């Protein structure tokens, strides 16, 4: 009996592994070892071909990142190789840029090399004091500016903790204190800028995101009168897990229908119903994003559950959805290098309202982090502009979650509805393109 049970368990395990492998092949998802190789290749490319330019652009010739294990600076985490899941002990990374010689030294004032890209520059047996070893390098290089990651308004650029900052100052000779500057702009640029190699990966990642939404919003998953919004949420979570991926936030599924009043923005964003049974005639909406090899997606799309006498999405909903696409076009056409998020927001809202639309825009940087660093173009509760973060100017080779909505009066339902859209978009050299297309029509779900 036990033997048969063990054989059964083995069969289930093998079948599960086979299914996961088939899923990964279908979605072009790499196995773990190949992911690690690619992650390190992308990092080396960024260090070699991107960081020197960013340091020159921000006029910082020495950049210090200091973290202790399990309390990592968000920027330092992006510099760790695939096999380093955390910093080790106190990890200090030093980049020194000599523009005249066109060199960039990458040093780790730590016990270990940090992968193959950053070499250890501390021999503890010769110099037991880590801070003294760091000071010796600073004296040798004699930089013009020492950039540290502290920032009042950009959380991802504010990773230097109080204790490390104080100990660094205590051990740094006074003549170098005046050279310390905030590395805010450099840290943001490192976080927000995407390379050509990363964009090839990003395109596939967004495709996977869209495919999962397509499956979730299908007859395979949704049975009107039976399936709940939470059923769909957990289908998406399980699908991501089965593919060997991760979500960076918990997905949501919500419903708009003809016999319920439109929710306020605050209710939509923070006080949604926990669970509803999906019915025929429901307009569904999802918010969903995944993480893969250091990049993140963030996507909102719509589906409609056809009634038994319907063969397609009603024309009035198609027209409403077109308004959502129009707001996207208005926003992306206003994105220009050097414009601040607040300028882009004001121009886009004014143009949308002039065309008779009722838009709300809350677009955020996307990439290394889901809510990333960079140009913030509105927030759902800050439609008159975002202090500080909204004043950061738009830079090229950056990615955004083009997130917004427009309210539309539906005569047939005698109420307003809200078309809520979000797609990953790449801003190049004053050019814009969606990373992997966008939704241009509501997905129909057939009633069984």
């Amino acid at each position: 009996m036990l033997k048969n049970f063990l054989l059964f368990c083995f069969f289930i395990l093998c079948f599960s592994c086979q299914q996961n492998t088939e899923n990964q092949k279908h979605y072009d998802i790499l196995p773990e070892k190949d992911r690690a190789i690619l992650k390190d290749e992308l990092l080396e490319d960024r260090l070699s071909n991107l960081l020197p330019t960013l340091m020159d652009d921000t006029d910082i010739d020495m950049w210090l990142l200091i973290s202790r294990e399990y309390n990592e600076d968000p920027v330092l985490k992006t510099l760790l190789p695939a096999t380093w899941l955390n910093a080790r002990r106190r990890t200090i990374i030093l980049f020194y840029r000599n523009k005249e010689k066109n060199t960039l030294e990458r040093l780790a004032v730590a016990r270990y090399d940090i992968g193959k890209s950053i070499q250890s520059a501390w021999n503890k047996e010769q110099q037991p004091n880590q801070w003294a070893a760091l000071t010796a390098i600073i004296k040798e290089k004699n930089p013009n500016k020492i950039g540290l990651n502290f920032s009042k308004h950009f959380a991802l650029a504010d990773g230097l903790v109080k204790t490390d900052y104080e100990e660094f100052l205590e051990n740094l000779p006074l003549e170098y204190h005046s050279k310390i500057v905030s590395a805010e702009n450099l840290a943001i640029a490192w976080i927000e800028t995407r390379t050509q190699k990363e964009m090839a990966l990003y395109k596939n990642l967004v495709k996977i995101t869209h495919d999962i939404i397509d499956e979730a919003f299908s007859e395979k998953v949704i049975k009107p009168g039976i399936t709940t919004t939470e059923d769909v949420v957990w289908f998406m979570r399980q699908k991501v897990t089965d593919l060997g991926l991760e979500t960076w936030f918990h997905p949501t599924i919500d419903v708009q229908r003809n016999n319920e009043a439109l929710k306020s923005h605050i209710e939509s964003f923070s006080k949604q119903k926990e669970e509803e049974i999906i019915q025929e005639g429901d307009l569904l909406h999802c918010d969903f994003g995944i993480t893969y090899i250091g990049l993140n997606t963030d996507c909102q799309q719509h589906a409609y559950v056809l009634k038994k006498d319907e063969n397609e999405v009603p024309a009035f909903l198609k027209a409403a959805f077109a308004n959502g696409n129009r707001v996207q076009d208005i926003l992306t056409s206003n994105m220009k290098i050097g414009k601040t998020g607040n300028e882009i927001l004001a121009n886009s809202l004014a143009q949308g309202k002039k065309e008779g639309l009722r838009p709300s825009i809350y677009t955020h940087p996307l990439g290394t982090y889901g809510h990333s660093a960079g140009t913030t173009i509105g927030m759902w509760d800050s439609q008159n502009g975002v202090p500080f973060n909204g004043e950061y100017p738009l830079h090229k080779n950056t990615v955004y979650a083009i997130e917004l909505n427009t309210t539309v009066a539906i005569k047939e339902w005698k109420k307003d509805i809200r078309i809520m859209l979000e797609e990953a978009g790449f801003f190049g050299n004053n050019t814009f393109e969606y990373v992997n297309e966008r939704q241009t029509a509501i997905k129909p779900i057939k009633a069984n």
Side-chain angles (χ1 to χ4, degrees):
M1 190 74 178
L2 178 60
K3 181 179 179 181
N4 290 339
F5 176 73
L6 292 174
L7 285 172
F8 172 76
C9 291
F10 178 74
F11 169 77
I12 292 297
L13 179 61
C14 290
F15 177 77
S16 176
C17 291
Q18 181 182 359
Q19 288 295 103
N20 287 343
T21 301
E22 290 176 355
N23 282 336
Q24 289 182 341
K25 286 180 179 178
H26 174 67
Y27 288 106
D28 198 23
I29 297 172
L30 297 173
E32 287 290 346
K33 184 177 180 180
D34 291 339
R35 292 188 210 185
I37 293 171
L38 178 56
K39 180 177 181 181
D40 290 346
E41 287 177 353
L42 294 173
L43 176 58
E44 178 59 31
D45 177 53
R46 287 174 62 82
L47 290 172
S48 298
N49 301 314
L50 176 62
L51 184 56
T53 300
L54 298 183
M55 293 185 72
D56 292 346
D57 290 347
T58 54
D59 194 28
I60 290 177
D61 56 339
M62 180 175 285
W63 191 19
L64 289 182
L65 299 97
I66 307 169
S67 289
R68 282 171 289 166
E69 199 165 2
Y70 306 127
N71 191 28
E72 291 84 3
D73 178 330
V75 179
L76 185 138
K77 285 183 74 70
T78 70
L79 293 160
L80 300 179
T83 55
W84 278 48
L85 304 185
N86 300 93
R88 297 179 182 175
R89 304 181 186 179
R90 176 180 275 114
T91 295
I92 301 175
I93 298 176
L94 182 152
F95 296 111
Y96 177 65
R97 169 68 171 158
N98 188 318
K99 191 174 181 179
E100 292 182 359
K101 295 181 179 180
N102 194 25
T103 58
L104 177 66
E105 295 182 64
R106 320 169 197 166
L107 305 175
V109 188
R111 288 288 278 170
Y112 315 98
D113 291 341
I114 301 179
K116 296 179 180 179
S117 295
I118 304 173
Q119 304 303 309
S120 173
W122 178 34
N123 187 327
K124 188 176 181 180
E125 283 65 40
Q126 292 180 359
Q127 172 52 270
N129 188 313
Q130 188 178 18
W131 294 114
L134 173 60
T135 297
I137 296 174
I138 294 174
K139 287 181 177 179
E140 176 193 347
K141 307 301 179 186
N142 191 27
N144 295 315
K145 294 181 180 178
I146 303 171
L148 299 178
N149 287 354
F150 57 86
S151 170
K152 183 175 182 179
H153 302 294
F154 290 86
L156 292 174
D158 191 39
L160 181 62
V161 301
K162 183 174 184 291
T163 299
D164 286 335
Y165 179 62
E166 289 178 346
E167 290 196 22
F168 173 62
L169 290 183
E170 288 173 7
N171 287 275
L172 185 70
L174 287 175
E175 60 263 33
Y176 291 96
H177 284 209
S178 62
K179 296 187 174 187
I180 294 174
V181 298
S182 168
E184 176 182 274
N185 287 338
L186 176 55
I188 294 172
W190 173 259
I191 290 289
E192 75 170 345
T193 308
R194 301 275 68 82
T195 64
Q196 188 175 357
K197 290 183 178 181
E198 286 177 311
M199 290 312 301
L201 170 64
Y202 224 148
K203 191 174 184 68
N204 183 51
L205 180 57
V206 176
K207 175 66 164 58
I208 296 169
T209 306
H210 288 167
D211 286 350
I212 294 174
I213 294 173
D214 284 345
E215 188 173 359
F217 279 164
S218 73
E219 299 81 12
K220 174 183 175 182
V221 175
I222 294 176
K223 312 296 180 188
I226 299 173
T227 306
T228 70
T229 51
E230 280 297 283
D231 291 335
V232 183
V233 165
W234 286 107
F235 169 83
M236 299 173 90
R237 283 293 301 267
Q238 189 63 53
K239 186 73 178 183
V240 172
T241 299
D242 291 345
L243 290 170
L245 302 174
E246 295 178 353
T247 55
W248 68 271
F249 66 93
H250 188 62
T252 58
I253 302 291
D254 56 89
V255 176
Q256 296 180 82
R257 50 175 61 121
N258 65 355
N259 58 354
E260 294 181 3
L262 178 65
K263 301 171 185 175
S264 67
H265 273 94
I266 192 167
E267 185 179 6
S268 294
F269 283 97
S270 62
K271 297 181 180 180
Q272 293 185 14
K273 293 181 180 179
E274 290 187 2
E275 187 170 27
E276 291 186 86
I277 297 175
I278 296 171
Q279 307 286 354
E280 293 177 20
D282 282 349
L283 178 63
L284 304 180
H285 163 263
C286 71
D287 193 353
F288 174 62
I290 57 179
T291 302
Y292 180 52
I293 313 183
L295 294 174
N296 295 272
T297 64
D298 199 353
C299 188
Q300 295 181 47
Q301 295 194 350
H302 283 281
Y304 174 77
V305 185
L306 299 175
K307 298 177 182 178
K308 284 186 172 59
D309 60 349
E310 291 177 323
N311 296 315
E312 61 180 349
V313 176
F316 60 86
L317 290 180
K318 291 180 180 180
F321 192 86
N323 285 347
N325 282 158
R326 178 57 189 151
V327 177
Q328 289 176 321
D329 292 340
I330 291 171
L331 169 61
T332 57
S333 68
N334 278 292
M335 295 173 71
K336 303 294 180 185
I337 290 176
K339 281 192 174 182
T340 68
N342 288 341
E343 289 174 327
I344 297 167
L345 174 68
N347 293 342
S348 300
L349 290 177
Q351 184 177 343
K353 291 173 183 177
K354 187 176 180 180
E355 293 185 16
L357 302 169
R358 288 188 280 168
S360 178
I361 296 171
Y362 32 95
T363 286
H364 60 83
L366 182 68
T368 307
Y369 291 92
H371 290 159
S372 201
T375 310
T376 299
I377 308 173
M379 300 179 77
W380 67 266
D381 55 353
S382 298
Q383 290 296 286
N384 292 319
V386 180
F388 306 109
N389 300 59
E391 292 303 319
Y392 185 82
L394 193 68
H395 291 76
K396 66 180 181 179
N397 298 329
T398 49
V399 172
Y400 301 87
I402 304 300
E403 185 178 9
L404 46 79
N405 74 60
T406 187
T407 302
V408 183
I410 301 298
K411 179 179 62 177
E412 291 79 1
W413 285 3
K414 299 179 181 178
K415 56 171 281 187
D416 287 342
I417 67 166
R418 192 174 289 126
I419 299 297
M420 298 168 280
L421 300 174
E422 187 172 17
E423 294 285 359
F426 174 73
F427 182 76
N429 192 10
N430 270 336
T431 60
F432 176 86
E433 61 181 295
Y434 287 98
V435 176
N436 193 314
E437 302 180 347
R438 63 170 171 172
Q439 186 182 18
T440 56
I442 297 172
K443 304 175 192 296
I445 302 172
K446 295 179 181 179
N448 294 314

